[in-house]
Amino acid sequence: MALRQCTVVPNGSTHCIFTIKRDDAAGQTIVFRLNQFQLEDRDNSTFLCKDYVDMNGEERLCGYQYGNRSFSFDGTFVVTFISDNSQTNMGFNIHYNIVPDGCLVSIFSTEGTLRSPVTSNGLYHNNLDCRYTLSSPYSMAKITVTVNRFDLEPPSYSSTNCYNDYVYYTDGSYTSGRYCGFVAAGTTFIWYTSARQFDLVFHSNNEVSRPGFDVSYTIEEDRCDQVLSATSGTIRSPVNSTGLYRSNLNCTYIIRPPTQGPYRFNLTFSQFDVQRTYYNSSSYSLSTSCYYDYVETRFSGLNSTSRLCGRMSSARTYFYNTFGGDFAIHFVTDRSIVRRGFVLEYSFEENSCYHVLTDTEGQIQVPGNGIANYSPNLDCMFTIRPPAGGPWVVNITLDEFDIQRYYSYSSNYFSTSCSNDYMQILYDGYSSSRMCGTRTSPISYKYNIFESDLNITFHSDSSTERSGFNITYTYSNNPCVTDLDQNSGTIRTPVVEGGLTYPADTLCIYYLDLGDSLKTVTFSVRLFDVSCGDYFSINGQRFCGSRLTQTSFPLIGRINITFVSNSIGAGRGVDVDYHVTNYTCDQVYRTTSGSIDSYSVSRLALTHDVDCDYVVRPPYYPFVITMFFSPFYMPHNYMNSSVTCSGSYVEINDTQYCGTVYGQYNITSVGPELSVRYHHSATAVAGTREVYHIYYSTRPVSCNVTLTDTVGYINSYTGYGSAPVYSRSYNDSAHCIFTIKGDNAEGQTIVFRLNQFQLEDRDNSTSLCKDYVDMNGEERLCGYQYGNRSFSFDGTFVVTFTSDNSQTNMGFNIHYNIVPDGCLVSIFSTEGTLRSPVTSNGLYHNNLDCRYTLSSPYSMAKITVTVNRFDLEPPSYSSTNCYNDYVYYTDGSYSSGRYCGFVAAGTTFIWYTSARQFDLVFHSNNEVSRPGFDVSYTIEEDRCDQVLSATSGTIRSPVNSTGLYRSNLNCTYIIRPPTQGPYRFNLTFSQFDVQRTYYNSSSYSLSTSCYYDYVETRFSGLNSTSRLCGRMSSARTYFYNTFGGDFAIHFVTDRSIVRRGFVLEYSFEENSCYHVATDTEGQIQVPGNGIANYSPNLDCLFTIRPPAGPMGC
């Protein structure tokens, strides 16, 4: 019974009191279910409830609430609702239920009894919702409930469903059906669950009461795993009372023979019905692509893991052979569809087809004992086991080989695509291709093994059998194993006798003992040419191709360097020198920004203290450096009272950083560099990784700055940098001093390139500069300027920028470069030598941009450059292009490719040009220096005109090294017969590919309308000038007849598109179809001599020549 009393105060407030009363309340509980509860929220400042529901003074609810609340009930319970006169909300709807003792129970025992609460008359209460919550200690549990007494209100007569009073089981993800009415004593219910808590729920309505229920329960661990040691037996999938297997199973059945084997297992599935697809199809075939439920076989030996799902329409038998260890059958189900499962009968016996061979040579034969064909369902293994102390070379020869490839006897040629019967080689984790079919001649294989066995395996299925195989084998020590000198030496891979490439099937091992301290091993490469089916390995890191992409390695202990080739042997191999030094991680950073990180050190297994000294040395000082720490993590570390770190740390300007550090730090350096030290402590916890990444960015403190690089920029906006100054103006009243310093300055030149220069113009009246740049007192620049300025450099050069307080402009960006003597050269000789400037150690300078300007006296010139020495920094390992140091040729309209690395002496480069000046440009960056280059050059007049007097010959268009003709050609080839003629000329173009259109089309026809590039014939006689361009798809012959003078072929090209050009074969002979008639009358006949038809390609001339003097008529 609930009594309600509500009062609405005139100011809008509400005060309601709900009094819940009941007799016989001893030991009862009142349960409130908050179906809906949304009142005004708590006050933000006081956190007090303005509108609230008070639960008998035990709890006050406001705002948004949900769930249940339970309280002891002693006969009266008062619920009070109070709202103020301000904000309201949707309100509340609360269900309450007074339940007797024993109705809400939490049980932690794995066995016991559950009873419905009853009144004094022995019948259960009405309006109950009792919940018995049981806890399980198992991750998978089996719950068994046995009925002692069960008598509830039965279903209504119009239904068989339990809608009145009932009991059901639930674990959150699964809910059983409802049980009601009468259930016989001894009836058992079983459920399986992976939940740690589950409930038995009892509900009664307000009508009929009966004696209720009394049930016993047990909770057991649900283990479907089994270990089976009998030689035969049966395995069944776990099923529910419905006959279907359970959800969420993960069962492992281990068949364990008494010894390590080898064994042959026979598995027969007399029933197999396992979910295959995501829907509950009643017909689907067997599959090995299983993602939901499946049976999986796992064992050590030849066969990999195999899954099965779907349905077998009849029994199936599988054969497996293991060579050691257990045989495991794994059954997995998900939480959705369940089916009938499987029944598996197994048996095993020792495998007689397993042999261990220890002799240095021997024979392997299948089948043995003179049997005609091998048996079905075989899994044989023959283990060749050399003694300890390898590596070994094993030679295997297939003398006879006949293994089933197809199900029929036809087309059984040798193959490595085998799915039925096959032979396979296994060693050191390597698996050869499967081999099957028939060989009519022997074939040999060579394998290199370390300390492991070499296994030859043979598998046959249940179908066709053939005559098998006969194999001979030998093994011997590998001769290509070497211990290297600890300090330096050479590694050369072997080559085939009398050849240039390495042999096939080769394993070479080079051992290098570095001791217990960390070393750096550096390789100098003379040759690296390893096919990517093979590899060159340095302590497990493999390399192949035409470049050793890493040449320095931090290493410790005894390492091995290996070379492995496959059955082809296509490369020239490896020829390297190695040099061992003590490891150092010190590094100098010369850029204005960059990253200092732990990458190179974090890969090492450091067991002792290591210090890495990093120096940040930007190209100017004083400077401000901004350092961003992300991430920065030195674990198991702390800062002690003396502000030093207990373990590893990074130290900057005498300040140590350790632990976890994030954020940005600004540091000013008045000197030319800033020191950063990383200290790795030997006390660091093993297995932890110290990580730091510090991104830094520098800038000058002011525009009064000292510049220390031989190349750099001066900028009116930032003081230093290559950034353009468009859309900006420099400051009024500026006075900036840029002091450029360099060492070994004797004979050097400083070159300034004015990338941008626009200051205030000169004063109109005085012509003086108001804003200007002073170049060391030698020149003063103002207004608009461009081009280059060069000055002698004696070690210090001062550039001063001054502006007044009136007009400004965009400012300037100036690039400077200090170059040594012989770097900027103008040469007027047609032959000579060009050399890169070098330092006293014989290596060229860093940061060079040298230009050798050559002048030609010819309108068309041929430049030939011959290498005497060429050794520049090679391309970076991630590229084949020359981005670091390089040389190239340019004449203004054409630039060659870049040349870098090593070029052999005697190599010749040829360029053609119509320019009167052209340059050889040499660039070096600020990293590696090498000996540089020494080249000889000659400049010759490029004349493509020719006079040809032979009766036959060949004319070719002039081409570059690319095979394409040159630009801007104007060549004339004159064919000059010995007399005036007449003559017949035969011209055959065996190749003709000349630009026709203004775009570079790859397919266009021959044409006589030519405006860009063309071949033109000119001669005196009957025919006029004719041009040709385009392409001939096949050879063409042209016939010409001249009656005097030369025959000229003219070849003209423009400066744009170039193509392959032409090859012309010519010949000439006297023309027999030329006659002079002097008689006063006569006859002219074509053809003559009684021939039926005249000949093709004729050009005849009949000249009637009367005597000199006037003629009468």
Side-chain angles (χ1 to χ4, degrees), residues 779-835:
E779 185 176 0
R780 184 168 288 188
L781 306 177
C782 61
Y784 171 71
Q785 303 287 339
Y786 64 92
N788 296 340
R789 303 292 190 276
S790 298
F791 304 93
S792 296
F793 183 74
D794 61 1
T796 301
F797 196 95
V798 179
V799 178
T800 306
F801 169 49
T802 302
S803 68
D804 62 10
N805 59 357
S806 60
Q807 182 181 352
T808 65
N809 210 318
M810 288 196 298
F812 61 85
N813 179 285
I814 302 175
H815 172 271
Y816 75 88
N817 189 7
I818 302 170
V819 297
D821 185 35
C823 185
L824 299 174
V825 183
S826 294
I827 303 172
F828 298 94
S829 174
T830 57
E831 60 181 32
T833 302
L834 307 176
R835 297 182 179 92

Side-chain angles (χ1 to χ4, degrees), residues 736-909:
C736 299
I737 301 173
F738 306 92
T739 302
I740 304 170
K741 287 185 174 292
D743 300 327
N744 303 321
E746 184 177 349
Q748 292 185 337
T749 301
I750 186 166
V751 181
F752 294 92
R753 185 177 70 240
L754 308 184
N755 296 329
Q756 183 179 350
F757 196 101
Q758 204 156 351
L759 305 185
E760 182 183 0
D761 291 332
R762 293 177 183 271
D763 186 275
N764 289 331
S765 59
T766 65
S767 298
L768 296 176
C769 294
K770 297 180 178 180
D771 300 350
Y772 59 86
V773 171
D774 182 90
M775 311 298 284
N776 207 42
E778 299 183 41
E779 185 176 0
R780 184 168 288 188
L781 306 177
C782 61
Y784 171 71
Q785 303 287 339
Y786 64 92
N788 296 340
R789 303 292 190 276
S790 298
F791 304 93
S792 296
F793 183 74
D794 61 1
T796 301
F797 196 95
V798 179
V799 178
T800 306
F801 169 49
T802 302
S803 68
D804 62 10
N805 59 357
S806 60
Q807 182 181 352
T808 65
N809 210 318
M810 288 196 298
F812 61 85
N813 179 285
I814 302 175
H815 172 271
Y816 75 88
N817 189 7
I818 302 170
V819 297
D821 185 35
C823 185
L824 299 174
V825 183
S826 294
I827 303 172
F828 298 94
S829 174
T830 57
E831 60 181 32
T833 302
L834 307 176
R835 297 182 179 92
S836 54
V838 294
T839 64
S840 58
N841 63 4
L843 306 178
Y844 54 74
H845 302 258
N846 286 323
N847 297 314
L848 288 182
D849 278 298
C850 296
R851 187 173 291 264
Y852 306 85
T853 301
L854 295 93
S855 296
S856 167
Y858 310 118
S859 58
M860 290 293 294
K862 173 185 177 183
I863 304 102
T864 304
V865 173
T866 303
V867 172
N868 304 320
R869 183 187 69 244
F870 196 102
D871 186 2
L872 306 187
E873 180 182 2
S876 62
Y877 293 112
S878 60
S879 171
T880 58
N881 297 321
C882 300
Y883 292 120
N884 303 317
D885 303 347
Y886 51 83
V887 170
Y888 68 91
Y889 160 88
T890 180
D891 63 6
S893 62
Y894 165 79
S895 293
S896 72
R898 295 174 176 179
Y899 306 98
C900 62
F902 178 80
V903 178
T907 303
T908 299
F909 302 95

Side-chain angles (χ1 to χ4, degrees), residues 68-375:
N68 295 339
R69 301 293 190 277
S70 298
F71 304 94
S72 296
F73 184 74
D74 59 1
T76 301
F77 197 94
V78 179
V79 179
T80 305
F81 169 49
I82 293 178
S83 69
D84 61 9
N85 59 357
S86 59
Q87 183 180 351
T88 65
N89 211 319
M90 290 196 302
F92 60 86
N93 179 287
I94 303 175
H95 171 273
Y96 75 90
N97 189 8
I98 301 170
V99 297
D101 185 35
C103 185
L104 299 174
V105 182
S106 294
I107 303 170
F108 298 92
S109 174
T110 56
E111 60 182 31
T113 302
L114 308 177
R115 299 183 180 90
S116 54
V118 295
T119 63
S120 57
N121 62 5
L123 305 178
Y124 54 74
H125 301 259
N126 286 324
N127 297 313
L128 289 181
D129 276 298
C130 296
R131 185 174 292 264
Y132 306 86
T133 301
L134 294 93
S135 295
S136 167
Y138 311 118
S139 58
M140 291 292 295
K142 173 185 177 183
I143 303 103
T144 304
V145 173
T146 303
V147 172
N148 303 320
R149 183 186 69 246
F150 196 101
D151 187 2
L152 307 187
E153 180 182 1
S156 61
Y157 295 110
S158 60
S159 172
T160 58
N161 297 321
C162 301
Y163 290 121
N164 302 318
D165 302 347
Y166 51 82
V167 171
Y168 67 89
Y169 160 88
T170 180
D171 62 7
S173 62
Y174 166 77
T175 299
S176 72
R178 295 175 177 178
Y179 305 99
C180 61
F182 178 79
V183 177
T187 302
T188 299
F189 301 94
I190 298 175
W191 298 287
Y192 299 89
T193 185
S194 59
R196 290 289 188 170
Q197 280 193 335
F198 32 88
D199 300 304
L200 208 66
V201 178
F202 171 44
H203 169 81
S204 66
N205 61 11
N206 61 354
E207 299 173 357
V208 178
S209 291
R210 303 292 286 263
F213 64 85
D214 181 312
V215 297
S216 300
Y217 74 89
T218 59
I219 303 172
E220 304 170 275
E221 186 174 10
D222 179 28
R223 290 188 60 84
C224 54
D225 299 344
Q226 294 183 51
V227 177
L228 308 163
S229 57
T231 57
S232 63
T234 301
I235 301 171
R236 301 174 185 271
S237 53
V239 295
N240 290 311
S241 55
T242 59
L244 305 179
Y245 56 71
R246 308 199 303 270
S247 300
N248 299 314
L249 289 175
N250 193 332
C251 303
T252 301
Y253 306 93
I254 295 175
I255 304 173
R256 180 166 293 164
T259 62
Q260 283 294 305
Y263 286 96
R264 176 183 175 87
F265 287 83
N266 303 319
L267 305 184
T268 299
F269 288 98
S270 57
Q271 172 186 299
F272 195 93
D273 183 10
V274 175
Q275 177 199 7
R276 173 183 173 185
T277 58
Y278 63 90
Y279 60 93
N280 198 10
S281 170
S282 60
S283 63
Y284 51 85
S285 59
L286 197 66
S287 175
T288 56
S289 299
C290 307
Y291 309 102
Y292 306 101
D293 303 349
Y294 54 86
V295 175
E296 183 179 56
T297 55
R298 294 178 178 176
F299 57 96
S300 56
L302 304 181
N303 295 69
S304 59
T305 295
S306 174
R307 290 182 178 181
L308 283 178
C309 58
R311 175 182 290 120
M312 295 179 185
S313 57
S314 60
R316 289 196 184 190
T317 299
Y318 296 86
F319 300 94
Y320 299 95
N321 290 273
T322 68
F323 300 96
D326 300 331
F327 188 99
I329 298 160
H330 198 46
F331 181 43
V332 175
T333 67
D334 61 10
R335 59 180 300 172
S336 58
I337 299 167
V338 293
R339 303 192 65 85
R340 292 186 305 128
F342 67 88
V343 177
L344 169 64
E345 297 172 359
Y346 77 88
S347 65
F348 64 85
E349 58 187 356
E350 289 191 5
N351 186 353
S352 58
C353 196
Y354 173 71
H355 303 278
V356 177
L357 308 168
T358 58
D359 292 338
T360 57
E361 59 183 39
Q363 184 178 24
I364 300 170
Q365 188 172 356
V366 171
N369 303 324
I371 301 173
N373 293 324
Y374 54 75
S375 302

Side-chain angles (χ1 to χ4, degrees), residues 889-1064:
Y889 160 88
T890 180
D891 63 6
S893 62
Y894 165 79
S895 293
S896 72
R898 295 174 176 179
Y899 306 98
C900 62
F902 178 80
V903 178
T907 303
T908 299
F909 302 95
I910 298 175
W911 298 287
Y912 299 88
T913 184
S914 59
R916 290 288 189 169
Q917 279 193 336
F918 33 88
D919 300 304
L920 207 67
V921 179
F922 170 44
H923 168 83
S924 66
N925 62 11
N926 63 350
E927 298 171 359
V928 177
S929 290
R930 302 293 284 264
F933 63 87
D934 180 312
V935 298
S936 301
Y937 74 91
T938 60
I939 304 172
E940 306 169 273
E941 187 175 10
D942 179 30
R943 293 188 59 83
C944 56
D945 300 342
Q946 295 183 50
V947 177
L948 308 163
S949 57
T951 57
S952 64
T954 301
I955 301 171
R956 300 174 186 271
S957 53
V959 294
N960 289 311
S961 56
T962 59
L964 306 179
Y965 56 72
R966 307 201 300 272
S967 301
N968 299 314
L969 290 174
N970 193 332
C971 302
T972 300
Y973 306 92
I974 296 175
I975 304 173
R976 180 166 291 164
T979 63
Q980 282 294 306
Y983 286 97
R984 174 184 175 86
F985 287 84
N986 303 320
L987 305 184
T988 300
F989 288 98
S990 57
Q991 172 186 300
F992 195 93
D993 183 10
V994 175
Q995 176 198 9
R996 173 184 173 185
T997 59
Y998 63 88
Y999 62 93
N1000 199 11
S1001 171
S1002 60
S1003 63
Y1004 49 84
S1005 60
L1006 198 67
S1007 176
T1008 57
S1009 299
C1010 307
Y1011 308 102
Y1012 306 102
D1013 304 348
Y1014 56 85
V1015 174
E1016 184 179 58
T1017 55
R1018 294 178 179 176
F1019 57 95
S1020 57
L1022 303 178
N1023 293 68
S1024 61
T1025 296
S1026 174
R1027 290 182 177 180
L1028 282 178
C1029 57
R1031 176 183 287 119
M1032 295 179 185
S1033 58
S1034 59
R1036 290 195 184 190
T1037 301
Y1038 297 86
F1039 300 95
Y1040 299 94
N1041 291 272
T1042 67
F1043 299 98
D1046 299 330
F1047 189 98
I1049 299 162
H1050 196 47
F1051 181 42
V1052 176
T1053 67
D1054 63 9
R1055 62 178 298 171
S1056 59
I1057 299 167
V1058 293
R1059 302 193 66 85
R1060 293 186 304 131
F1062 67 88
V1063 177
L1064 169 63

Side-chain angles (χ1 to χ4, degrees), residues 636-657:
H636 307 283
N637 208 342
Y638 61 90
M639 192 80 73
N640 59 29
S641 58
S642 60
V643 199
T644 58
C645 297
S646 63
S648 302
Y649 60 82
V650 170
E651 183 178 71
I652 305 171
N653 263 10
D654 299 325
T655 300
Q656 294 183 2
Y657 300 87

